[in-house]
């Protein structure tokens, strides 16, 4: 692996390239990242929904979910949460704040589009119909729980999540082999899922798939059979009670991680 100081120097170039990328490319690669992170969510939900023990269910989901970030790293997709590391070249005055925001906005939109497309496909074309709709009920239960978080809890869980995601991205970049990059991306992401932290782009899949499932009569009936009250599962609660605070938390967590790394390892000639 490269040393942290070497990573900081390398990321100045990476961040500058991301900030100057054509907007259409940011959106396209953002859509790809949204689909890939959503795929990780699809697999983790499918593999863990029937596990009765809550702790073991988190472990199983955590072991499966990191596929998404590993594929983002390998394909060069643009992920909003990982791109919080662009704050490194901003701190080093290689990229302007405007340049960073120019990347974040289109990438965030692309991530949202990709996640929504995948969520709609899974809800309306039968992927969540497994076990007579039990998977759909589990998806709606997850979405409902996320929509019911307090603003403060969602914010703090977002901070914890993206501290680990940015750690994963930096470790993947520092690694010098494909297996090393995969392992670097894998472990921190697995840990944030097991801890129950909140990832804005993952939630762009987790909550909409529940919202879409709610509109399918057979799935709504499965939710009722499971004793779920879906009144709080709304687009408004998704956007205001989850996505907004989680996104803010992700920004804080990612920038804090970047600042710790930058001020702890930067190499400068001082006098």
């Amino acid at each position: 692996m490269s040393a942290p100081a070497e990573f900081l120097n390398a990321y100045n170039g990476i961040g500058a390239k991301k900030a100057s990328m054509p907007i259409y490319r940011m959106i396209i690669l953002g859509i790809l990242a949204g689909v890939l992170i959503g795929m990780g969510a699809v697999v983790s939900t499918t593999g863990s929904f029937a596990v009765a023990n809550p702790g073991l269910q988190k472990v199983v989901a955590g072991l499966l979910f990191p596929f998404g970030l590993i594929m983002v790293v390998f394909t060069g997709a643009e992920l909003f949460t990982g791109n919080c590391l662009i704050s490194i070249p901003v701190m080093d005055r290689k990229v302007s704040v405007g340049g960073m925001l120019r990347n974040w906005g289109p990438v965030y939109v692309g991530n949202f589009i990709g996640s929504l497309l995948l969520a709609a496909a899974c809800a309306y074309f039968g992927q969540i119909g497994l076990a007579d709709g039990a998977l759909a009920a589990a998806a709606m239960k997850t979405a409902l729980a996320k929509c019911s978080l307090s603003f403060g809890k969602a914010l703090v869980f977002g901070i914890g999540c993206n501290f680990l995601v940015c750690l994963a991205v930096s470790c993947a970049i520092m690694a010098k082999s494909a297996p090393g990059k995969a392992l670097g991306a894998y472990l921190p992401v697995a840990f944030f899922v097991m801890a129950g932290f909140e990832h804005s782009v993952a939630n762009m899949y987790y909550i909409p798939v529940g919202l879409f499932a709610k509109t399918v009569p057979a799935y709504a009936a499965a939710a009722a059979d499971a004793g779920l009250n879906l009144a709080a599962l709304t687009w408004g609660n998704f956007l205001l009670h989850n996505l907004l605070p989680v996104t803010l938390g992700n920004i804080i967590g990612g920038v804090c991680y970047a600042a710790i790394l930058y001020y702890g390892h930067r190499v400068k000639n001082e006098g």
Side-chain angles (χ1 to χ4, degrees):
M1 292 183 68
S2 301
E6 294 176 293
F7 162 75
L8 293 173
N9 185 58
Y11 201 86
N12 276 334
I14 295 170
K17 184 177 180 181
K18 287 178 177 290
S20 61
M21 186 184 299
I23 289 177
Y24 79 89
R25 188 172 296 170
M26 294 181 193
I27 294 174
I28 291 171
L29 293 176
I31 291 172
L32 175 59
V35 170
L36 292 173
I37 295 298
M39 286 292 187
V42 170
V43 172
S44 66
T45 302
T46 303
S48 66
F49 84 96
V51 179
N53 182 285
L56 183 58
Q57 185 182 63
K58 289 286 188 185
V59 170
V60 173
L63 293 174
L64 296 173
F65 182 85
F67 157 86
L69 185 63
I70 294 171
M71 292 301 105
V72 165
V73 170
F74 284 175
T75 62
E78 290 289 308
L79 180 64
F80 165 74
T81 47
N83 285 4
C84 287
L85 288 172
I86 298 175
S87 55
I88 290 172
V90 170
M91 286 182 275
D92 211 33
R93 300 182 181 180
K94 299 295 192 298
V95 171
S96 68
V97 172
M100 178 175 68
L101 297 178
R102 179 182 176 276
N103 175 273
W104 284 2
V107 167
Y108 192 88
V109 170
N111 291 167
F112 208 163
I113 293 170
S115 300
L116 284 178
L117 289 173
L118 181 63
C122 289
Y124 294 130
F125 292 90
Q127 191 278 329
I128 59 173
L130 186 65
D132 295 323
L135 176 55
M140 286 182 276
K141 182 178 180 180
T142 297
L144 180 63
K146 289 179 178 292
C147 283
S148 302
L149 292 175
S150 68
F151 191 98
K153 187 173 184 178
L155 180 75
V156 172
F157 281 18
I159 292 172
C161 169
N162 213 33
F163 193 95
L164 289 171
V165 170
C166 287
L167 169 63
V169 172
S170 64
C171 287
I173 293 173
M174 283 190 277
K176 296 183 177 180
S177 68
K181 290 180 181 296
L183 185 61
Y186 183 92
L187 291 175
V189 172
F191 289 173
F192 101 65
V193 175
M194 293 176 194
F197 293 152
E198 293 287 313
H199 187 272
S200 57
V201 179
N203 287 355
M204 292 173 187
Y205 168 82
Y206 278 123
I207 300 177
V209 76
L211 287 162
F212 293 141
K214 182 181 175 182
T215 68
V216 178
Y219 298 157
D225 290 342
L228 296 179
N229 180 350
L230 300 178
L233 182 55
T234 66
W235 286 97
N237 284 342
F238 163 43
L239 296 174
L240 296 178
H241 291 176
N242 185 279
L243 195 60
L244 174 61
V246 169
T247 299
L248 293 174
N250 287 168
I251 292 171
I252 294 169
V255 171
C256 283
Y257 172 77
I260 290 169
L261 210 62
Y262 177 73
Y263 289 107
H265 291 289
R266 65 175 176 164
V267 177
K268 281 186 174 286
N269 292 323
E270 300 180 356

